[in-house]
Amino acid sequence: MLVIGVDIGTSSTKGVLVTPDGDVLATATRAHGMSMPRPGWAEMDAEAVWWGDVVAVTRELTEAAGDRPVAAVCVSGVGPCLLLTDAELRPVRPAILYGIDMRATAEIEQLTEHFGAEAILARGMTELTTQAVGPKLAWVRRHEPEAWQRARRWFSSNSYVVAKLTGAYVLDHHTASQCDPLYDMHRAQWADDWLAEVAPGLPAPRLAWPGEVVGHVLPAAAAATGLAPGTPVCAGTVDAWAEALSAGVRRPGDRMLMYGSTMFFVHMLATPAAHPGMWNTAGVYPGTWSTAAGMSTSGTLTDWVRRLTGGAPFEELVTAARNVPPGSDGLVLLPYFAGERTPIFDPRARGVVAGLTLNHGPGHLFRAAYEGIAYGIRQILDLLDATAGPAGRTVAVGGGTQGGLWTQIVSDVSGREQIVPAQAIGASYGDAQLAAIAAGLAPADADWAVEGRRVIPDPSNHAVYAELAEIYDGLYPATRAAVHRLAAVQEDAGRRAGAP
């Protein structure tokens, strides 16, 4: 018997075919992109990308399985997202992505005033930010009434795929706990009264835990994916938490740094707690909790540098960056190219490159991008230490851990050691683990993570970065007023150009 795990990421969908012992037999990947129709907006075509990618990846994996049956499937994805559909699961508008979509700033302010900041923090344990789903529901209701009138269901990425596979209208507790202010962390249930005010007439999905079997593959979905009709399907969850599970980040004090298109942080807690400025959530399993943080650009920023340099091969830019000394010869980059989430929560923040001279080249800019992200990571790690307590261990995951330069720069800037697991597949591997447990093929406490290497800070580099980190810390306050004015200019230009 085998299991399949699939993860819908920001830039690709990845799937794995795995044995009950955690051995990977096959992988499949489909690249995709997102749409940014206006500054601060981030969307995806759920039918073409979420469902289409899962169909293609799953069919490839079932073909690789041959005659060996697939016992269960679990899907994770970017989130929390907001997809509104009609009763037949047809999207009424493109899916609005997680915290990198910053359109609902006015609704964040209005809902915070309406329900009360202290009440929201007490009930949901998280302040309203661009990560929250509630304000995005309110935004669609206000700005797109025709779409709202046609909506009958609402989903995140994983729950939409579950619905397409099984017909079940269900959302996992972890994702629900990021749908602020709609989830009551104390009761582990929907905050029904607030939900009725924010999304009147729109029924909420049933709640389930990520590893819980919530349905079975329907005949039509079986024909599309190659899965056998009746195959059990788990609820799944947000990709970062599935990836944390894949890396063995599951005990209080464990911390994960996820290097991807955006940077994400998960810190496991012993008890539920409200840490202002952080996202405090339910965990993957009942009775577990976590606090989290996220940056808006990381891997997407290095892609920007590649495009700016004429599409130079990634390996060539990394080599050029290695040949640049720590500190990039006095270049400091503020990585707020799509606004920023933690720690400033400013959708109108913008990127800044300070210290440029005619002597700086592509290698300097590429290294400065890595270093700018690392300075931001240092700020967030300091914030996590202050709010959730120091990490017992820090595990680094994601595509950005490959090659070693980026993780070394982060350790040198932050002064913290990182553990990189031997298995680097990511969230889909955690999904496969949940599927194996749900199918009874692996014990409930199964942990497939194996340590691969450790990244140790270089003291001499850390001393260089300490001075530049002070400059970085002062750069946003010094430029905030100017970049806010520039953000307004960009928004006006988008409106004049007729952006939707």
Side-chain angles (χ1 to χ4, degrees), residues 408-482:
Q408 187 62 57
I409 288 174
V410 169
S411 281
D412 291 349
V413 168
S414 68
R416 292 169 170 86
E417 177 183 290
Q418 301 173 80
I419 300 169
V420 180
Q423 181 56 266
I425 290 176
S428 59
Y429 193 58
D431 297 326
Q433 185 175 325
L434 286 173
I437 294 170
L441 301 177
D445 60 353
D447 187 348
W448 292 347
V450 176
E451 182 177 321
R453 60 185 174 89
R454 295 193 174 220
V455 186
I456 310 298
D458 183 316
S460 60
N461 290 348
H462 182 64
V464 172
Y465 284 130
E467 178 181 359
L468 294 172
E470 291 184 11
I471 296 173
Y472 177 93
D473 290 346
L475 196 54
Y476 168 68
T479 60
R480 177 179 172 181

Side-chain angles (χ1 to χ4, degrees), residues 6 41 45 60 70 78 127 145 154 170 235 256-257 268 270 280 287 301 305 309 370 428 438 449 458 480 485 497:
V6 182
W41 290 26
D45 183 329
E60 186 174 335
V70 174
V78 289
E127 299 168 322
W154 60 279
V170 62
M256 180 193 74
L257 275 64
M268 299 305 297
N280 306 291
L301 183 53
V305 176
T309 54
Y370 273 162
S428 59
D458 183 316
R480 177 179 172 181
R485 291 177 63 187

Side-chain angles (χ1 to χ4, degrees), residues 131-414:
Q131 190 81 349
V133 169
K136 293 173 184 177
L137 281 162
W139 185 93
V140 176
R141 184 183 169 205
R142 169 179 294 171
H143 294 280
E144 298 181 353
E146 292 183 3
W148 183 263
Q149 288 298 320
R150 291 188 290 126
R152 296 294 180 271
R153 299 284 187 272
W154 60 279
F155 299 94
S156 195
S157 57
N158 60 299
S159 63
Y160 178 64
V161 173
V162 168
K164 295 282 281 186
L165 287 171
T166 70
Y169 184 41
V170 62
L171 186 66
D172 67 284
H173 278 276
H174 168 72
T175 305
S177 72
Q178 292 203 57
C179 294
D180 305 291
L182 311 179
Y183 184 87
D184 189 317
M185 281 280 284
H186 301 279
R187 297 171 52 243
Q189 292 294 333
W190 291 118
D192 292 323
D193 51 343
W194 288 2
L195 183 60
E197 288 193 58
V198 175
L202 197 60
R206 177 175 69 85
L207 293 171
W209 290 98
E212 185 179 335
V213 173
V214 294
H216 299 81
V217 175
L218 298 170
T225 61
L227 293 164
T231 301
V233 178
C234 297
T237 193
V238 174
D239 54 358
W241 276 260
E243 184 139 16
L245 181 67
S246 78
V249 176
R250 58 194 303 171
R251 291 166 287 276
D254 286 352
R255 183 180 293 173
M256 180 193 74
L257 275 64
M258 187 172 77
Y259 293 73
S261 299
T262 63
M263 197 80 195
F264 207 81
F265 309 73
V266 174
H267 183 107
M268 299 305 297
L269 301 173
T271 57
H275 300 298
M278 311 298 290
W279 301 311
N280 306 291
T281 72
V284 171
Y285 296 114
T288 61
W289 302 273
S290 62
T291 190
M295 300 172 70
S296 292
T297 54
S298 51
T300 50
L301 183 53
T302 60
D303 287 340
W304 173 80
V305 176
R306 288 186 66 237
R307 294 196 306 273
L308 201 66
T309 54
F314 184 79
E315 295 77 12
E316 181 180 308
L317 286 171
V318 171
T319 299
R322 285 187 190 277
N323 293 328
V324 170
S328 301
D329 287 328
L331 201 60
V332 176
L333 182 147
L334 201 61
Y336 302 160
F337 283 50
E340 187 54 296
R341 297 189 286 174
T342 318
I344 62 170
F345 294 105
D346 183 355
R348 288 194 159 188
R350 293 295 183 265
V352 174
V353 184
L356 272 172
T357 72
L358 295 175
N359 292 323
H360 287 115
H364 290 89
L365 187 58
F366 197 81
R367 186 178 185 104
Y370 273 162
E371 291 173 343
I373 298 163
Y375 297 135
I377 290 170
R378 174 194 57 88
Q379 289 181 332
I380 293 171
L381 294 179
D382 288 347
L383 182 60
L384 282 167
D385 286 349
T387 55
R393 63 191 188 111
T394 299
V395 182
V397 301
T401 63
Q402 306 307 301
L405 178 60
W406 194 1
T407 50
Q408 187 62 57
I409 288 174
V410 169
S411 281
D412 291 349
V413 168
S414 68

